[in-house]
Amino acid sequence: MLSFFSKYKFFGIVLLGLSFVIVYLFYNALQPKKMLPVFQPSMVDQSLVDSTLHYKRKYHTIADFELTNQNGQKISQENYRDKIYVADFFFTTCPTICPIMTKNMAQIQNSILDDENVMLLSHSVTPVIDSVPQLKKYALEKGVIDSKWNLVTGDKKQIYELARKSYLAVKNDGDGGPYDMIHTENFILVDKERRIRGFYDGTNKDEIEKLLTDLEILKASYLK
């Protein structure tokens, strides 16, 4: 009897190992696939949402736009067609949170350099001050790679409406002055259907890591 067990000991160990692998694979297969929420205006802090959208609970998407980037090129939704992208709002002369946000956006840029499906989009909230030459100077200083990241300026009303009605990222405390668009520190993750899939504190390193993790989850959702 002992010789029998001794003879088949290796076979038993292998069989036991295979059993563990099969159970592990079945367990993973049965786990629900991670999915990100689709944010609607009704789910967001109402101070960041235009009053006409406070009760909108479905079908929210980023509106069409046409702005000008750091190279004087027209940038519209067509440049982001079938792309996942991260958007934010900033201004080049901001002395407080913007430098931190830009540094962290540059970190994201470095993480997506080889991914043609992901881009970045930063909107100036002081578009009159942030002219094309000013944006270009800022882009060069901050290491912006033109093929991955557009810094855009343009009509203030259009940018304000995008911030309030599309990206849900600006407080409505303006007084009509050049600095009246009080933006948040939020980075906004937008999917290929132009839906908001996440908000992240662009000044917080842990939040940046969460964004990068969520980006991978979002990318995986498009794989067949």
Side-chain angles (χ1 to χ4, degrees):
M1 181 68 72
L2 289 176
S3 62
F4 175 83
F5 283 113
S6 177
K7 184 177 180 180
Y8 291 100
K9 180 180 179 182
F10 177 75
F11 176 76
I13 292 172
V14 172
L15 188 62
L16 185 62
L18 283 174
S19 299
F20 277 121
V21 170
I22 292 169
V23 169
Y24 174 78
L25 291 175
F26 268 108
Y27 175 80
N28 278 347
L30 292 172
Q31 293 303 301
K33 191 175 181 180
K34 289 185 178 179
M35 296 292 290
L36 301 180
V38 177
F39 282 89
Q40 304 298 331
S42 62
M43 300 163 64
V44 179
D45 179 348
Q46 298 295 274
S47 70
L48 302 174
V49 182
D50 187 86
S51 60
T52 61
L53 300 174
H54 280 184
Y55 302 103
K56 186 173 184 179
R57 298 181 181 275
K58 56 185 178 179
Y59 307 131
H60 180 73
T61 57
I62 306 302
D64 291 351
F65 61 91
E66 183 175 275
L67 298 163
T68 305
N69 75 357
Q70 65 268 24
N71 297 309
Q73 299 168 329
K74 292 296 182 184
I75 299 296
S76 74
Q77 69 281 349
E78 291 304 311
N79 297 90
Y80 289 82
R81 179 182 290 275
D82 296 324
K83 304 288 186 185
I84 295 168
Y85 69 97
V86 180
D88 74 336
F89 291 81
F90 80 113
F91 59 105
T92 62
T93 55
C94 168
T96 54
I97 63 173
C98 294
I100 303 170
M101 292 171 65
T102 301
K103 181 180 179 181
N104 288 336
M105 191 70 90
Q107 177 191 335
I108 297 170
Q109 175 185 244
N110 292 337
S111 299
I112 63 168
L113 280 181
D114 299 323
D115 193 333
E116 62 182 16
N117 293 309
V118 185
M119 294 179 66
L120 308 176
L121 180 61
S122 293
H123 308 75
S124 170
V125 299
T126 60
V128 174
I129 296 168
D130 286 335
S131 62
V132 169
Q134 176 70 5
L135 287 181
K136 186 63 177 179
K137 178 175 178 290
Y138 190 82
L140 291 171
E141 290 173 352
K142 304 301 182 182
V144 171
I145 297 172
D146 294 340
S147 62
K148 300 301 294 183
W149 187 358
N150 289 296
L151 313 181
V152 290
T153 186
D155 178 70
K156 182 177 178 180
K157 184 171 185 264
Q158 182 184 182
I159 293 174
Y160 185 83
E161 288 194 348
L162 281 169
R164 293 282 296 165
K165 295 183 178 181
S166 286
Y167 294 103
L168 318 177
V170 168
K171 291 183 180 294
N172 189 20
D173 295 335
D175 59 7
Y179 295 98
D180 68 340
M181 218 184 291
I182 303 175
H183 69 100
T184 67
E185 66 277 6
N186 282 345
F187 287 175
I188 304 102
L189 180 61
V190 181
D191 68 16
K192 294 183 180 183
E193 290 73 43
R194 295 157 67 179
R195 302 174 300 180
I196 296 174
R197 306 305 296 272
F199 294 94
Y200 311 85
D201 183 341
T203 66
N204 185 304
K205 283 289 186 183
D206 291 338
E207 287 280 295
I208 301 305
E209 290 302 319
K210 184 177 188 305
L211 189 160
L212 292 172
T213 298
D214 285 355
L215 177 58
E216 292 303 315
I217 294 171
L218 184 55
K219 285 163 57 179
S221 72
Y222 288 101
L223 299 177
K224 292 182 179 179

